[in-house]
Amino acid sequence: MTKLKYFQNYPATIKDQVLSLIESGKLKSYLKNKYPNPHHINSDKLLYQYANDLKKQYMRNTPQISKVLYEKQKDLINNALGTHSFVSRNHGGKLKSKHEIRIAMFLKEAPEEMLEMLVVHELAHFKEKDHNKAFYKLCQYMQPDYHQVEFDLRLYLVLLDQGESLFNN
Ligand SMILES: [Zn+2]
């Protein structure tokens, strides 16, 4: 069921709820009600500052972030949803530094909480490579409602797949 492709690992009761929200046509108003405002972090420079501020606040004793940028890359959606494992990817023969943060381009238009969730996720990988208990504990330390926002991000992806957007129409 493609409508539920972002919810494959959820229990049937949750899937049913998601499906009825989608089919009721109220997905957009649900999200808009919960996340009324877009963020204004719309350049790589601002995104770097944003990530660096979060890092300074919560993860002082980790190496400096070398680079933060928005990137058009579909895999990042899967990364965000916690399905990747941490590997150094090979780009044109050069190993990518693990202290770069790449955020999927679609998050430029997303609610701030969702951008924050992704940045928090990437920052947590500075300390924990795997998606284990310690990793999610760290995420929740930086963003207490991390899990709820991650869930809502999946709903947001459904909305985008329907060709809708939250703030531009
Ligand atoms: Zn991850």
Side-chain angles (χ1 to χ4, degrees), residues 78-86 121-122 125 128-131 135-136 146:
N78 288 325
N79 291 353
L81 297 177
T83 56
H84 80 297
S85 57
F86 192 89
H121 184 108
E122 294 305 315
H125 274 312
E128 297 288 339
K129 289 183 181 181
D130 300 317
H131 297 129
F135 174 83
Y136 286 111
Y146 177 88

Side-chain angles (χ1 to χ4, degrees), residues 24-35:
S24 71
K26 289 177 182 156
L27 180 58
K28 186 170 174 172
S29 56
Y30 166 83
L31 286 168
K32 192 121 193 181
N33 195 38
K34 216 164 163 185
Y35 304 98

